[in-house]
Amino acid sequence: MLASFGAIAFAAITYLPFSLCQSTLTADGIASMGNNSLFTRWRPVAHFIAPAGWMNDPCGPMYDSHTETYHLFYQWHPQHINWGNISWGHATSKDLVDWVDVGGWQDSEALALGPGPVGSYDGLGIFSGTAQPVNLHAQSDGNLTIFYTSVSKLPIGWNIPYQTLSETQSIATSSDGGRTWQKYEGNPVIDSDPPWNVTGFRDPFLEPLPELDAILDKGEPHYYAVFGSGIRGVGPRIPLYSAPASDLTKWSFESALWEPAANSSLGSVLETGSYGFNFEVSGFFDLQDSKGDTHWFVNMGTEGGNVTFHESAHWALWNMGAISRRANGSAEFTPQAGGAVYAITSFLDSKNGNRRIQWGWAPEDLPGTFALTQQGFQGCFALPRHLFVHEKKGIVNPPSGLGNSKYVKDSDETYTAYTLGARPLDEVVDAIRQGGNYDSIKGGQWQGSQHMSLTVTLSKVEGTAGIYIAQSPDGQESTAIYYSPGNHTIQVDRSKSSLLNPNVTFDPVVGYFMPYTTSEGEEDIVMNIFLDGSLLEVYVNDRFSLTTRIYPARTDSTGYGTYLGKGASAQFSDTQAWIGLKDVWPERPSNSSSPLLWDTAQETDNYVWWTGNKAKRMA
């Protein structure tokens, strides 16, 4: 994937000095601080994060039963705070809670795969991909296989001319449990673009899909891969490729799995998002409901679909639908529901009944390069999420049209709603909460931490109601998280989240959420909130997730409590807090920063391939 950021709106606000790292600083003061001097100030401790440097997409999650080990990789530019020379870092876990860097945490020790010489098939980048705990003949014998996009030409963008064969698809394997990796000598294994005028072709997501074998009448088991792509001037696409399981180096183009129109939407844009003009990091998988019926899902990062209430032109979306066989024998996906999600890739956890686990990237939201060299890193992952078919019976008066849920009428004249369920893994939540102290909130303002977990149940909401966090004693800084029934949204009001820069205010983050209504009335709203340094995650009713960032400037901005908007009312129950979260990197020091490196014009084709670290160098 090519990394992208949310837009930040600029407006004049009152500026006051603030306390930071035991100093009183102005904005110019931050700019004069040394590299990595703010490394621990807003750094998450309970989430998956690179030791230091630039980090974007999660890659290659898998479980290796031979060593009883989970593997997770990430897009990485070690010792830089900007995207470039993109590589894969690597860490492992025995329980999805505690993680260990493979090779070590210092500098670039955790590097698993890096680009080859400039001019080679992957000389300008190892873009995103997936992995399988099998050999090249799909046999589980202790070998591991990575599939990645190999990049030989830059720049790449959906809105600029695409250079043919900029992105090809390649393989790397490991025979020592993932400690070392060897690139396949026959790379690239897909060395042609899809049969259209592409806007991109990257980020392989592949798995065996026996049900698709049956639909397509395959004579032997196959693996299937989808990619992010699009047809210039026509719309985004998900190309579908297949390879016989007996030889995972022999890939053939099947079809465009799905053909949405450019910048279209499944339903209202607020509820289902915009498909934009190009897809990235596409995913394709099936889940079974309680009756054993199959529901098919795609996920994709969309580019170019900007709308006024969304913070960037990039959406992370999911769609649920059906798979059929076209007259020409190819597979076709037809969406039936969809929405936004803050996630990127997923895998089957064979250790735990083949449950599907999803990982997502959480970019920073600091303006420009402001404070980034002082922070010394960018990006981390959200909590791992369990994906499932969410079902709710007894629905009355469902909304018309396509939206977040698919409604099926039952014999009693009510409806069952089906949608994508997503919640943080129970064992991960339990473990990281053990790192703190438990409180049951009864009202008023309480003193928290910049690492904490909250739950609250809301009912009978009139106006806006929820939780506030990261509030200073005088209210100068504060972040509100609330449900607004007027437009069925969950919102994070960041207008007072930080005094970092006198010329910047942080946009609100908005996500659509409509409670279900049954004959007993409207369902309660159950919020699970995680604040870990600057990272803020909000989960609602096991079917809504939102991820964003806040950067309180004051070190005493740790207050929290229940929130009611002006003239609002609501009933609050089951309001709980865990103050302090577990550090899930037991073998790293709290400050795992690395010296920042500066790229020369020669190393970056005069900064055309990537911008490099070009900010003023400070000791």
Side-chain angles (χ1 to χ4, degrees):
M1 175 187 177
L2 293 175
S4 56
F5 291 96
I8 295 196
F10 288 81
I13 61 172
T14 302
Y15 177 67
L16 296 171
F18 55 88
S19 173
L20 187 63
C21 295
Q22 301 179 340
S23 300
T24 300
L25 305 171
T26 65
D28 290 340
I30 282 189
S32 67
M33 293 176 69
N35 302 334
N36 301 313
S37 53
L38 299 180
F39 189 84
T40 61
R41 177 63 181 88
W42 300 289
R43 186 169 171 84
V45 299
H47 285 72
F48 190 102
I49 188 169
W54 168 271
M55 173 190 189
N56 59 291
D57 294 357
C59 299
M62 63 178 161
Y63 177 71
D64 178 12
S65 60
H66 289 268
T67 59
E68 299 183 337
T69 301
Y70 291 98
H71 295 260
L72 185 56
F73 304 82
Y74 48 93
Q75 294 274 269
W76 197 27
H77 195 189
Q79 298 186 256
H80 293 73
I81 49 93
N82 294 315
W83 184 95
N85 197 40
I86 210 68
S87 307
W88 282 27
H90 185 196
T92 59
S93 175
K94 293 295 185 180
D95 56 8
L96 294 171
V97 176
D98 291 312
W99 292 89
V100 175
D101 298 292
V102 177
W105 60 266
Q106 290 185 311
D107 300 338
S108 59
E109 289 177 339
L111 187 70
L113 280 178
V118 173
S120 66
Y121 67 94
D122 63 359
L124 291 183
I126 307 291
F127 279 14
S128 302
T130 46
Q132 290 289 330
V134 297
N135 63 22
L136 294 180
H137 305 289
Q139 297 165 334
S140 177
D141 64 355
N143 285 278
L144 308 174
T145 303
I146 281 172
F147 298 80
Y148 67 94
T149 294
S150 39
V151 180
S152 60
K153 302 174 186 177
L154 288 174
I156 296 170
W158 68 269
N159 53 357
I160 61 176
Y162 189 84
Q163 303 175 73
T164 302
L165 298 181
S166 296
E167 299 163 302
T168 54
Q169 316 307 322
S170 294
I171 287 174
T173 60
S174 174
S175 58
D176 59 8
R179 289 188 294 276
T180 61
W181 294 87
Q182 297 77 43
K183 296 176 183 178
Y184 176 59
E185 62 182 11
N187 281 340
V189 295
I190 302 178
D191 59 359
S192 61
D193 296 329
W196 52 65
N197 184 13
V198 300
T199 51
F201 179 42
R202 56 184 169 272
D203 312 331
F205 178 92
L206 72 156
E207 289 185 337
L209 292 169
E211 293 215 18
L212 190 56
D213 282 343
I215 292 171
L216 297 180
D217 196 24
K218 296 289 186 183
E220 61 177 308
H222 277 63
Y223 274 59
Y224 296 89
V226 294
F227 302 84
S229 188
I231 303 177
R232 191 165 303 281
V234 177
R237 292 292 183 270
I238 296 181
L240 176 68
Y241 283 69
S242 70
S246 58
D247 189 347
L248 296 182
T249 70
K250 304 297 184 185
W251 291 90
S252 301
F253 175 76
E254 289 275 348
S255 64
L257 184 66
W258 178 35
E259 301 174 314
N263 210 24
S264 60
S265 179
L266 180 68
S268 73
V269 177
L270 175 61
E271 183 172 0
T272 62
S274 170
Y275 294 141
F277 298 90
N278 182 68
F279 287 160
E280 296 186 291
V281 287
S282 297
F284 177 46
F285 55 89
D286 61 311
L287 296 172
Q288 281 67 52
D289 62 24
S290 61
K291 296 182 292 185
D293 293 334
T294 296
H295 301 257
W296 293 90
F297 293 85
V298 296
N299 62 259
M300 54 280 179
T302 79
E303 295 189 293
N306 201 9
V307 292
T308 55
F309 65 85
H310 192 64
E311 60 179 333
S312 81
H314 299 262
W315 292 78
L317 302 180
W318 63 269
N319 275 192
M320 178 179 73
I323 291 291
S324 59
R325 186 174 179 176
R326 296 182 179 98
N328 64 5
S330 63
E332 180 179 24
F333 175 78
T334 302
Q336 300 167 332
V341 66
Y342 291 76
I344 297 293
T345 195
S346 66
F347 77 107
L348 281 177
D349 178 14
S350 59
K351 182 180 179 180
N352 293 280
N354 280 340
R355 64 179 175 177
R356 183 160 292 276
I357 296 175
Q358 187 178 58
W359 288 95
W361 172 47
E364 303 293 332
D365 209 0
L366 285 166
T369 57
F370 182 75
L372 286 175
T373 55
Q374 289 75 32
Q375 181 167 275
F377 68 89
Q378 282 212 65
C380 71
F381 293 164
L383 292 172
R385 299 166 187 167
H386 178 205
L387 300 185
F388 58 96
V389 178
H390 186 288
E391 304 171 56
K392 180 70 173 180
K393 296 182 180 297
I395 305 294
V396 297
N397 301 319
S400 60
L402 297 177
N404 287 169
S405 299
K406 171 187 174 183
Y407 296 93
V408 177
K409 194 171 187 178
D410 296 322
S411 58
D412 63 357
E413 300 300 312
T414 65
Y415 294 79
T416 297
Y418 297 90
T419 190
L420 179 63
R423 61 172 174 262
L425 292 182
D426 292 339
E427 68 267 33
V428 173
V429 171
D430 290 345
I432 64 175
R433 284 175 174 171
Q434 292 303 312
N437 298 314
Y438 171 78
D439 278 316
S440 179
I441 308 169
K442 300 299 183 183
Q445 176 165 316
W446 291 59
Q447 198 61 29
S449 163
Q450 64 173 339
H451 307 280
M452 57 190 295
S453 171
L454 301 168
T455 67
V456 62
T457 298
L458 305 172
S459 57
K460 299 182 175 9
V461 178
E462 299 288 341
T464 57
I467 291 283
Y468 68 83
I469 59 170
Q471 180 161 294
S472 58
D474 59 3
Q476 186 183 42
E477 289 188 321
S478 185
T479 298
I481 305 158
Y482 56 82
Y483 170 63
S484 179
N487 58 3
H488 302 297
T489 57
I490 304 292
Q491 300 192 36
V492 178
D493 182 355
R494 302 189 298 166
S495 61
K496 295 172 58 180
S497 289
S498 182
L499 300 172
L500 267 179
N501 188 322
N503 300 312
V504 173
T505 184
F506 291 92
D507 286 343
V509 182
V510 181
Y512 184 87
F513 177 79
M514 177 180 282
Y516 291 136
T517 299
T518 68
S519 57
E520 298 178 353
E522 188 172 274
E523 67 177 329
D524 291 346
I525 296 166
V526 181
M527 290 186 179
N528 279 284
I529 298 166
F530 300 86
L531 176 64
D532 190 13
S534 64
L535 182 63
L536 174 60
E537 294 186 77
V538 182
Y539 297 89
V540 180
N541 289 32
D542 287 347
R543 64 177 192 272
F544 172 94
S545 60
L546 180 154
T547 305
T548 189
R549 296 281 190 162
I550 61 173
Y551 302 91
R554 294 175 52 161
T555 55
D556 62 353
S557 292
T558 57
Y560 68 96
T562 56
Y563 170 86
L564 282 173
K566 185 176 181 180
S569 64
Q571 292 182 2
F572 293 84
S573 60
D574 194 29
T575 307
Q576 304 171 81
W578 291 261
I579 309 304
L581 297 175
K582 173 183 171 63
D583 184 346
V584 300
W585 295 92
E587 296 188 10
R588 283 184 193 165
S590 59
N591 187 338
S592 57
S593 61
S594 297
L596 295 181
L597 303 178
W598 268 254
D599 293 329
T600 66
Q602 182 179 4
E603 292 171 316
T604 59
D605 191 29
N606 200 27
Y607 303 103
V608 170
W609 295 336
W610 55 83
T611 60
N613 289 350
K614 295 191 295 182
K616 183 178 179 181
R617 194 180 317 198
M618 300 292 296

